[in-house]
Amino acid sequence: MDLTMLYRGPLASCDYDCPYCPFAKRRDSPETLRADRAALERFCGWVADQPTAPAGGRFSVLFTPWGEALVRSWYRRALVELSGLPQVGRVAVQTNLSCRTGWLADADPEKVALWCTYHPGQTPYDRFLGKTRELAALGIRFSVGIVGLPEHREPALRLRAELPEHVYLWVNAAEGHTYTDAEAAGWAAIDPLFAYSRHPHASAGLPCRTGESVVSVDGDGTVRRCHFVPAPLGNLYDGSYRAALRPRACPLAVCDCHIGYVHLESLPLYDVFAGGVLERIPAPGVLPSGGPAGP
């Protein structure tokens, strides 16, 4: 069995100032940055020292930082190094794509992938689109997304029209925003999978892969089933987490974040995103062909 690890270290700083994000323009102290770098290097060293995942499979790693990771050299280096390990099947990161992209030429394009979010008002549209073209030229797999706010609709339509057809453009329902059926249909015309994001998913008592084949790891090596359930399962570095890996039901009433509900066994998303669960890339043939739909 493969093991997916969602890694989130101390880093919480970001170079963007999005009004819907509590970490906008937050600055980490030099001490926090040094601690984050040391924690990440320890994590990568641990992965490198493991011949296989606990059940004999391979590791997949998704970096889910509170802030923007790829403006930090140690995260860029981590993606390159992890992609070169035979025991790693996939390594991906959530990013605003503000970083340069040339370093990805040193990564294994069969293993590395980016989950990119476009934030209108934070970067010029042409600059962001140019970055996606650089990724495509490097042969890097990536998805692109946007928050489903009314003022983001026009940029989303423009992105859908100008991105290559095979690049998935996802839309996240804005936190605290209620969508009428007409509004939801408009976003679904851009992202055919928007219905999964529109409402939180009832999850209490339902089987979930987290805690068995998916875990969350923090900078200290504390292992939890996911980012949203605080109870620890053990520690990565002393091996105590291994005994806790088993099937378990979700203890929360609802799950409303893609990096959580994608692992619910009650949803078909492992089939929808087969081969691209970490980077949010649907399997070939899942989405309708023929180019983007209109509003």
Side-chain angles (χ1 to χ4, degrees):
M1 180 183 294
D2 294 343
L3 181 65
T4 292
M5 296 184 289
L6 311 182
Y7 178 87
R8 179 177 287 165
L11 184 79
S13 54
C14 188
D15 53 341
Y16 282 6
D17 192 20
C18 303
Y20 41 81
C21 177
F23 296 92
K25 287 293 183 184
R26 178 169 172 171
R27 293 180 179 270
D28 282 323
S29 68
E31 293 76 18
T32 297
L33 293 176
R34 283 194 291 269
D36 184 72
R37 180 173 183 167
L40 180 62
E41 290 175 349
R42 184 186 187 192
F43 173 76
C44 292
W46 180 90
V47 176
D49 287 342
Q50 309 304 305
T52 68
R58 294 201 292 178
F59 295 102
S60 292
V61 179
L62 172 62
F63 294 111
T64 62
W66 285 122
E68 174 53 38
L70 293 186
V71 295
R72 307 297 176 184
S73 62
W74 49 98
Y75 281 94
R76 299 193 297 268
R77 184 164 54 251
L79 263 73
V80 171
E81 292 176 354
L82 290 176
S83 76
L85 297 176
Q87 63 269 45
V88 173
R90 182 62 47 82
V91 57
V93 62
Q94 294 177 317
T95 176
N96 63 24
L97 206 54
S98 62
C99 68
R100 54 190 176 87
T101 61
W103 57 275
L104 283 160
D106 296 325
D108 184 345
E110 297 298 320
K111 294 184 181 181
V112 75
L114 272 61
W115 167 327
C116 310
T117 305
Y118 174 54
H119 300 283
Q122 302 299 309
T123 186
Y125 173 85
D126 289 339
R127 180 180 178 183
F128 181 87
L129 187 65
K131 295 282 187 180
T132 68
R133 289 171 174 164
E134 291 171 9
L135 295 181
L138 288 165
I140 302 300
R141 299 175 72 249
F142 65 98
S143 65
V144 173
I146 197 167
V147 176
L149 293 167
E151 60 269 29
H152 290 177
R153 180 160 174 76
E154 288 305 316
L157 286 168
R158 188 178 177 190
L159 268 177
R160 183 61 281 167
E162 297 192 53
L163 285 169
E165 183 180 332
H166 73 274
V167 173
Y168 174 47
L169 177 61
W170 47 265
V171 177
N172 270 354
E175 187 172 355
H177 188 87
T178 300
Y179 295 85
T180 66
D181 288 345
E183 290 170 336
W187 288 114
I190 299 170
D191 173 9
L193 303 178
F194 177 71
Y196 289 111
S197 179
R198 182 183 177 186
H199 299 293
H201 295 273
S203 58
L206 296 178
C208 182
R209 296 172 180 87
T210 61
E212 180 186 17
S213 60
V214 181
V215 295
S216 165
V217 181
D218 70 14
D220 294 327
T222 300
V223 176
R224 298 176 173 85
R225 62 175 303 168
C226 73
H227 288 327
F228 314 105
V229 179
L233 301 181
N235 191 274
L236 192 70
Y237 302 123
D238 65 12
S240 57
Y241 79 99
R242 290 172 175 257
L245 297 178
R246 65 175 185 273
R248 35 169 60 84
C250 181
L252 304 180
V254 296
C255 188
D256 64 356
C257 182
H258 179 91
I259 59 172
Y261 64 69
V262 71
H263 305 295
L264 281 172
E265 295 183 36
S266 55
L267 297 176
L269 295 180
Y270 264 49
D271 292 328
V272 171
F273 293 97
V277 170
L278 262 65
E279 59 270 36
R280 202 170 179 174
I281 296 178
V286 168
L287 298 182
S289 59

PDB file of all heavy atoms in Angstrom, residues 56-78:
ATOM      1  N   GLY A  56       5.053  -1.365   2.246  1.00  0.00           N
ATOM      2  CA  GLY A  56       5.798  -1.863   1.107  1.00  0.00           C
ATOM      3  C   GLY A  56       5.617  -1.100  -0.178  1.00  0.00           C
ATOM      4  O   GLY A  56       6.267  -1.397  -1.178  1.00  0.00           O
ATOM      5  N   GLY A  57       4.746  -0.089  -0.177  1.00  0.00           N
ATOM      6  CA  GLY A  57       4.514   0.690  -1.387  1.00  0.00           C
ATOM      7  C   GLY A  57       5.432   1.902  -1.464  1.00  0.00           C
ATOM      8  O   GLY A  57       6.502   1.944  -0.854  1.00  0.00           O
ATOM      9  N   ARG A  58       4.985   2.902  -2.206  1.00  0.00           N
ATOM     10  CA  ARG A  58       5.777   4.122  -2.361  1.00  0.00           C
ATOM     11  C   ARG A  58       5.111   5.293  -1.644  1.00  0.00           C
ATOM     12  O   ARG A  58       3.950   5.233  -1.266  1.00  0.00           O
ATOM     13  CB  ARG A  58       5.955   4.442  -3.857  1.00  0.00           C
ATOM     14  CG  ARG A  58       6.776   3.417  -4.587  1.00  0.00           C
ATOM     15  CD  ARG A  58       7.375   3.984  -5.882  1.00  0.00           C
ATOM     16  NE  ARG A  58       6.363   4.265  -6.887  1.00  0.00           N
ATOM     17  CZ  ARG A  58       6.642   4.805  -8.081  1.00  0.00           C
ATOM     18  NH1 ARG A  58       7.888   5.137  -8.381  1.00  0.00           N
ATOM     19  NH2 ARG A  58       5.671   5.024  -8.961  1.00  0.00           N
ATOM     20  N   PHE A  59       5.876   6.345  -1.474  1.00  0.00           N
ATOM     21  CA  PHE A  59       5.377   7.562  -0.856  1.00  0.00           C
ATOM     22  C   PHE A  59       4.888   8.543  -1.925  1.00  0.00           C
ATOM     23  O   PHE A  59       5.461   8.624  -3.012  1.00  0.00           O
ATOM     24  CB  PHE A  59       6.474   8.255  -0.048  1.00  0.00           C
ATOM     25  CG  PHE A  59       6.969   7.485   1.133  1.00  0.00           C
ATOM     26  CD1 PHE A  59       8.178   6.805   1.073  1.00  0.00           C
ATOM     27  CD2 PHE A  59       6.243   7.452   2.312  1.00  0.00           C
ATOM     28  CE1 PHE A  59       8.650   6.099   2.165  1.00  0.00           C
ATOM     29  CE2 PHE A  59       6.707   6.740   3.415  1.00  0.00           C
ATOM     30  CZ  PHE A  59       7.917   6.066   3.336  1.00  0.00           C
ATOM     31  N   SER A  60       3.848   9.285  -1.593  1.00  0.00           N
ATOM     32  CA  SER A  60       3.457  10.464  -2.343  1.00  0.00           C
ATOM     33  C   SER A  60       3.417  11.621  -1.355  1.00  0.00           C
ATOM     34  O   SER A  60       2.991  11.445  -0.208  1.00  0.00           O
ATOM     35  CB  SER A  60       2.086  10.294  -3.004  1.00  0.00           C
ATOM     36  OG  SER A  60       2.135   9.315  -4.026  1.00  0.00           O
ATOM     37  N   VAL A  61       3.885  12.782  -1.784  1.00  0.00           N
ATOM     38  CA  VAL A  61       3.981  13.931  -0.885  1.00  0.00           C
ATOM     39  C   VAL A  61       3.303  15.134  -1.515  1.00  0.00           C
ATOM     40  O   VAL A  61       3.555  15.465  -2.678  1.00  0.00           O
ATOM     41  CB  VAL A  61       5.457  14.279  -0.576  1.00  0.00           C
ATOM     42  CG1 VAL A  61       5.533  15.500   0.342  1.00  0.00           C
ATOM     43  CG2 VAL A  61       6.182  13.090   0.057  1.00  0.00           C
ATOM     44  N   LEU A  62       2.422  15.765  -0.752  1.00  0.00           N
ATOM     45  CA  LEU A  62       1.822  17.029  -1.159  1.00  0.00           C
ATOM     46  C   LEU A  62       2.164  18.070  -0.107  1.00  0.00           C
ATOM     47  O   LEU A  62       1.819  17.918   1.068  1.00  0.00           O
ATOM     48  CB  LEU A  62       0.303  16.922  -1.288  1.00  0.00           C
ATOM     49  CG  LEU A  62      -0.449  18.239  -1.533  1.00  0.00           C
ATOM     50  CD1 LEU A  62      -0.025  18.881  -2.850  1.00  0.00           C
ATOM     51  CD2 LEU A  62      -1.962  18.024  -1.501  1.00  0.00           C
ATOM     52  N   PHE A  63       2.853  19.130  -0.518  1.00  0.00           N
ATOM     53  CA  PHE A  63       3.147  20.231   0.381  1.00  0.00           C
ATOM     54  C   PHE A  63       1.965  21.191   0.372  1.00  0.00           C
ATOM     55  O   PHE A  63       1.566  21.688  -0.687  1.00  0.00           O
ATOM     56  CB  PHE A  63       4.422  20.951  -0.053  1.00  0.00           C
ATOM     57  CG  PHE A  63       5.661  20.106   0.080  1.00  0.00           C
ATOM     58  CD1 PHE A  63       6.347  19.662  -1.040  1.00  0.00           C
ATOM     59  CD2 PHE A  63       6.136  19.729   1.330  1.00  0.00           C
ATOM     60  CE1 PHE A  63       7.482  18.879  -0.922  1.00  0.00           C
ATOM     61  CE2 PHE A  63       7.266  18.940   1.466  1.00  0.00           C
ATOM     62  CZ  PHE A  63       7.946  18.509   0.336  1.00  0.00           C
ATOM     63  N   THR A  64       1.411  21.440   1.571  1.00  0.00           N
ATOM     64  CA  THR A  64       0.224  22.288   1.716  1.00  0.00           C
ATOM     65  C   THR A  64       0.527  23.443   2.673  1.00  0.00           C
ATOM     66  O   THR A  64      -0.095  23.546   3.727  1.00  0.00           O
ATOM     67  CB  THR A  64      -0.971  21.473   2.232  1.00  0.00           C
ATOM     68  OG1 THR A  64      -0.644  20.945   3.531  1.00  0.00           O
ATOM     69  CG2 THR A  64      -1.301  20.320   1.295  1.00  0.00           C
ATOM     70  N   PRO A  65       1.457  24.314   2.345  1.00  0.00           N
ATOM     71  CA  PRO A  65       1.861  25.364   3.289  1.00  0.00           C
ATOM     72  C   PRO A  65       0.757  26.380   3.519  1.00  0.00           C
ATOM     73  O   PRO A  65      -0.074  26.629   2.651  1.00  0.00           O
ATOM     74  CB  PRO A  65       3.059  26.007   2.583  1.00  0.00           C
ATOM     75  CG  PRO A  65       2.785  25.777   1.126  1.00  0.00           C
ATOM     76  CD  PRO A  65       2.146  24.419   1.050  1.00  0.00           C
ATOM     77  N   TRP A  66       0.783  26.977   4.720  1.00  0.00           N
ATOM     78  CA  TRP A  66      -0.144  28.075   4.974  1.00  0.00           C
ATOM     79  C   TRP A  66       0.181  29.258   4.069  1.00  0.00           C
ATOM     80  O   TRP A  66      -0.700  29.986   3.633  1.00  0.00           O
ATOM     81  CB  TRP A  66      -0.060  28.523   6.437  1.00  0.00           C
ATOM     82  CG  TRP A  66      -0.698  27.607   7.422  1.00  0.00           C
ATOM     83  CD1 TRP A  66      -0.096  26.996   8.489  1.00  0.00           C
ATOM     84  CD2 TRP A  66      -2.077  27.213   7.480  1.00  0.00           C
ATOM     85  NE1 TRP A  66      -1.009  26.245   9.190  1.00  0.00           N
ATOM     86  CE2 TRP A  66      -2.230  26.362   8.591  1.00  0.00           C
ATOM     87  CE3 TRP A  66      -3.196  27.494   6.679  1.00  0.00           C
ATOM     88  CZ2 TRP A  66      -3.455  25.790   8.936  1.00  0.00           C
ATOM     89  CZ3 TRP A  66      -4.410  26.930   7.028  1.00  0.00           C
ATOM     90  CH2 TRP A  66      -4.530  26.092   8.144  1.00  0.00           C
ATOM     91  N   GLY A  67       1.466  29.468   3.808  1.00  0.00           N
ATOM     92  CA  GLY A  67       1.894  30.577   2.971  1.00  0.00           C
ATOM     93  C   GLY A  67       2.346  30.096   1.604  1.00  0.00           C
ATOM     94  O   GLY A  67       1.895  29.061   1.108  1.00  0.00           O
ATOM     95  N   GLU A  68       3.237  30.850   0.981  1.00  0.00           N
ATOM     96  CA  GLU A  68       3.771  30.486  -0.326  1.00  0.00           C
ATOM     97  C   GLU A  68       5.151  29.865  -0.157  1.00  0.00           C
ATOM     98  O   GLU A  68       6.073  30.504   0.357  1.00  0.00           O
ATOM     99  CB  GLU A  68       3.854  31.705  -1.235  1.00  0.00           C
ATOM    100  CG  GLU A  68       4.528  31.451  -2.572  1.00  0.00           C
ATOM    101  CD  GLU A  68       3.916  30.270  -3.334  1.00  0.00           C
ATOM    102  OE1 GLU A  68       2.665  30.105  -3.290  1.00  0.00           O
ATOM    103  OE2 GLU A  68       4.673  29.529  -3.970  1.00  0.00           O
ATOM    104  N   ALA A  69       5.281  28.613  -0.597  1.00  0.00           N
ATOM    105  CA  ALA A  69       6.508  27.860  -0.346  1.00  0.00           C
ATOM    106  C   ALA A  69       7.567  28.049  -1.418  1.00  0.00           C
ATOM    107  O   ALA A  69       8.765  28.063  -1.114  1.00  0.00           O
ATOM    108  CB  ALA A  69       6.178  26.369  -0.212  1.00  0.00           C
ATOM    109  N   LEU A  70       7.172  28.157  -2.667  1.00  0.00           N
ATOM    110  CA  LEU A  70       8.149  28.064  -3.743  1.00  0.00           C
ATOM    111  C   LEU A  70       9.000  29.315  -3.912  1.00  0.00           C
ATOM    112  O   LEU A  70       9.926  29.331  -4.725  1.00  0.00           O
ATOM    113  CB  LEU A  70       7.461  27.709  -5.067  1.00  0.00           C
ATOM    114  CG  LEU A  70       6.847  26.304  -5.106  1.00  0.00           C
ATOM    115  CD1 LEU A  70       6.319  25.999  -6.493  1.00  0.00           C
ATOM    116  CD2 LEU A  70       7.859  25.239  -4.676  1.00  0.00           C
ATOM    117  N   VAL A  71       8.727  30.372  -3.148  1.00  0.00           N
ATOM    118  CA  VAL A  71       9.651  31.494  -3.123  1.00  0.00           C
ATOM    119  C   VAL A  71      10.823  31.199  -2.189  1.00  0.00           C
ATOM    120  O   VAL A  71      11.770  31.983  -2.106  1.00  0.00           O
ATOM    121  CB  VAL A  71       8.947  32.801  -2.674  1.00  0.00           C
ATOM    122  CG1 VAL A  71       7.903  33.213  -3.695  1.00  0.00           C
ATOM    123  CG2 VAL A  71       8.319  32.650  -1.286  1.00  0.00           C
ATOM    124  N   ARG A  72      10.789  30.057  -1.502  1.00  0.00           N
ATOM    125  CA  ARG A  72      11.860  29.626  -0.607  1.00  0.00           C
ATOM    126  C   ARG A  72      12.675  28.530  -1.281  1.00  0.00           C
ATOM    127  O   ARG A  72      12.120  27.527  -1.743  1.00  0.00           O
ATOM    128  CB  ARG A  72      11.285  29.112   0.724  1.00  0.00           C
ATOM    129  CG  ARG A  72      10.349  30.093   1.415  1.00  0.00           C
ATOM    130  CD  ARG A  72      11.060  31.378   1.809  1.00  0.00           C
ATOM    131  NE  ARG A  72      10.127  32.353   2.400  1.00  0.00           N
ATOM    132  CZ  ARG A  72      10.488  33.577   2.762  1.00  0.00           C
ATOM    133  NH1 ARG A  72      11.747  33.985   2.606  1.00  0.00           N
ATOM    134  NH2 ARG A  72       9.599  34.404   3.281  1.00  0.00           N
ATOM    135  N   SER A  73      13.977  28.698  -1.300  1.00  0.00           N
ATOM    136  CA  SER A  73      14.845  27.774  -2.035  1.00  0.00           C
ATOM    137  C   SER A  73      14.751  26.356  -1.516  1.00  0.00           C
ATOM    138  O   SER A  73      14.880  25.392  -2.289  1.00  0.00           O
ATOM    139  CB  SER A  73      16.298  28.253  -1.969  1.00  0.00           C
ATOM    140  OG  SER A  73      16.775  28.268  -0.622  1.00  0.00           O
ATOM    141  N   TRP A  74      14.513  26.191  -0.204  1.00  0.00           N
ATOM    142  CA  TRP A  74      14.504  24.838   0.343  1.00  0.00           C
ATOM    143  C   TRP A  74      13.293  24.035  -0.131  1.00  0.00           C
ATOM    144  O   TRP A  74      13.389  22.815  -0.238  1.00  0.00           O
ATOM    145  CB  TRP A  74      14.613  24.854   1.863  1.00  0.00           C
ATOM    146  CG  TRP A  74      13.716  25.750   2.648  1.00  0.00           C
ATOM    147  CD1 TRP A  74      12.548  25.425   3.268  1.00  0.00           C
ATOM    148  CD2 TRP A  74      13.950  27.141   2.955  1.00  0.00           C
ATOM    149  NE1 TRP A  74      12.025  26.504   3.933  1.00  0.00           N
ATOM    150  CE2 TRP A  74      12.863  27.571   3.774  1.00  0.00           C
ATOM    151  CE3 TRP A  74      14.960  28.049   2.640  1.00  0.00           C
ATOM    152  CZ2 TRP A  74      12.767  28.875   4.260  1.00  0.00           C
ATOM    153  CZ3 TRP A  74      14.858  29.342   3.132  1.00  0.00           C
ATOM    154  CH2 TRP A  74      13.778  29.754   3.925  1.00  0.00           C
ATOM    155  N   TYR A  75      12.193  24.676  -0.452  1.00  0.00           N
ATOM    156  CA  TYR A  75      11.061  23.929  -1.004  1.00  0.00           C
ATOM    157  C   TYR A  75      11.311  23.558  -2.463  1.00  0.00           C
ATOM    158  O   TYR A  75      10.956  22.453  -2.903  1.00  0.00           O
ATOM    159  CB  TYR A  75       9.766  24.730  -0.868  1.00  0.00           C
ATOM    160  CG  TYR A  75       9.193  24.660   0.528  1.00  0.00           C
ATOM    161  CD1 TYR A  75       9.502  25.657   1.460  1.00  0.00           C
ATOM    162  CD2 TYR A  75       8.387  23.605   0.925  1.00  0.00           C
ATOM    163  CE1 TYR A  75       9.013  25.596   2.751  1.00  0.00           C
ATOM    164  CE2 TYR A  75       7.893  23.537   2.216  1.00  0.00           C
ATOM    165  CZ  TYR A  75       8.202  24.525   3.126  1.00  0.00           C
ATOM    166  OH  TYR A  75       7.723  24.453   4.410  1.00  0.00           O
ATOM    167  N   ARG A  76      11.911  24.466  -3.216  1.00  0.00           N
ATOM    168  CA  ARG A  76      12.236  24.118  -4.602  1.00  0.00           C
ATOM    169  C   ARG A  76      13.207  22.939  -4.637  1.00  0.00           C
ATOM    170  O   ARG A  76      13.039  22.002  -5.422  1.00  0.00           O
ATOM    171  CB  ARG A  76      12.840  25.335  -5.324  1.00  0.00           C
ATOM    172  CG  ARG A  76      11.893  26.533  -5.381  1.00  0.00           C
ATOM    173  CD  ARG A  76      12.368  27.583  -6.361  1.00  0.00           C
ATOM    174  NE  ARG A  76      13.658  28.167  -6.005  1.00  0.00           N
ATOM    175  CZ  ARG A  76      13.809  29.271  -5.276  1.00  0.00           C
ATOM    176  NH1 ARG A  76      12.745  29.884  -4.767  1.00  0.00           N
ATOM    177  NH2 ARG A  76      15.013  29.759  -5.031  1.00  0.00           N
ATOM    178  N   ARG A  77      14.193  22.977  -3.760  1.00  0.00           N
ATOM    179  CA  ARG A  77      15.162  21.883  -3.693  1.00  0.00           C
ATOM    180  C   ARG A  77      14.493  20.582  -3.250  1.00  0.00           C
ATOM    181  O   ARG A  77      14.809  19.502  -3.766  1.00  0.00           O
ATOM    182  CB  ARG A  77      16.300  22.257  -2.743  1.00  0.00           C
ATOM    183  CG  ARG A  77      17.428  21.237  -2.672  1.00  0.00           C
ATOM    184  CD  ARG A  77      18.670  21.824  -2.029  1.00  0.00           C
ATOM    185  NE  ARG A  77      18.403  22.406  -0.718  1.00  0.00           N
ATOM    186  CZ  ARG A  77      18.414  23.706  -0.445  1.00  0.00           C
ATOM    187  NH1 ARG A  77      18.644  24.586  -1.409  1.00  0.00           N
ATOM    188  NH2 ARG A  77      18.172  24.145   0.776  1.00  0.00           N
ATOM    189  N   ALA A  78      13.548  20.672  -2.334  1.00  0.00           N
ATOM    190  CA  ALA A  78      12.858  19.475  -1.845  1.00  0.00           C
ATOM    191  C   ALA A  78      12.089  18.789  -2.967  1.00  0.00           C
ATOM    192  O   ALA A  78      12.109  17.555  -3.083  1.00  0.00           O
ATOM    193  CB  ALA A  78      11.921  19.831  -0.697  1.00  0.00           C
TER     194      ALA A  78
END
